[in-house]
Amino acid sequence: MNQNELKAAVGQSAADYIEPLLTKEAVIGVGTGSTANYFIDALAKSRHRFDGAVASSQATADRLKKHGIPVYDLNDVNELLVYVDGADETNPNLELIKGGGGALTREKIVASVARQFVCIVDDTKLVDVLGKFPLPVEVIPMARSAVARKLVGLGGQPVYRQGFVTDNGNMIIDVHGLSITDPCAMEDTINGLTGVVTQGLFAKRPADVLLVGRESGVEELRPAGS
Ligand code: 5RP
């Protein structure tokens, strides 16, 4: 199987995983990216079994609507049954780097109100230590250079994502060369830099369940030690 086939398999598995949890009142959170897109396409078959969805990006909202799935503003929803999204890297504690597609801030907000976070990846995304994938940081445009200098001070090599504007009208800096041995501490440190909107570490709110697409099939993992 190639990587896209693994992503498709894990997207289908996520739809199967949440199927028994669905109720007519349930609203679910939906992430962004190619793996999340496979999930959306698989979810479409169950669209009459739940109320609707909150999207983590405009692209996801458009895809959900194309399948006839109602899309809610998060401000009109009290709770999300589940949040399903991909990731760029995951460690054995199910701490993640996300934001390769630039939707990290909305992904973080939507994940924060979900009862359960189901992360879906192919097995190329598994690592022992986070940081090989450049860490995306969303910044207010006027703070780009100031934040970049601080990121150099943290040992990273910041690279401005040329020509990319987030759904929130901001910029992304991709930080290369970090070896993130304490993801919670790094998350706090970068979130504390003035001008940073948020960054792509999901350590304080890691995934609860990881579905991994492998050649041998889809494996369900929980955080190490749980
Ligand atoms: C978007 C994300 C995606 O989940 C992440 O980049 C993985 O993408 P893909 O499923 O296309 O490999 O965080 O901001």
Side-chain angles (χ1 to χ4, degrees), residues 7 32-36 85-88 98-104 107 125:
K7 288 181 179 191
T32 299
S34 56
T35 319
D85 197 359
D88 299 300
K98 289 185 46 52
L104 58 155
E107 291 173 339
K125 310 285 184 74

Side-chain angles (χ1 to χ4, degrees), residues 85-166:
D85 197 359
D88 299 300
E89 274 186 356
T90 173
N91 70 14
N93 295 327
L94 309 196
E95 297 163 322
L96 315 169
I97 287 183
K98 289 185 46 52
L104 58 155
T105 299
R106 294 188 184 199
E107 291 173 339
K108 227 167 226 253
I109 294 168
V110 180
S112 75
V113 295
R115 266 196 247 164
Q116 191 182 175
F117 179 2
V118 177
C119 185
I120 49 176
V121 295
D122 61 83
D123 59 2
T124 63
K125 310 285 184 74
L126 305 180
V127 297
D128 287 328
V129 177
L130 298 172
K132 202 160 174 206
F133 189 92
L135 177 66
V137 178
E138 180 165 349
V139 293
I140 302 289
M142 73 172 290
R144 190 186 85 211
S145 297
V147 170
R149 285 192 291 274
K150 295 273 171 49
L151 293 168
V152 170
L154 294 176
Q157 293 127 38
V159 176
Y160 165 49
R161 202 181 289 184
Q162 290 281 351
F164 185 86
V165 178
T166 70

Side-chain angles (χ1 to χ4, degrees), residues 91 97 129-131 133 135 178-184 186 201:
N91 70 14
I97 287 183
V129 177
L130 298 172
F133 189 92
L135 177 66
L178 295 174
S179 175
I180 306 172
T181 49
D182 187 345
C184 281
M186 183 65 88
L201 279 169

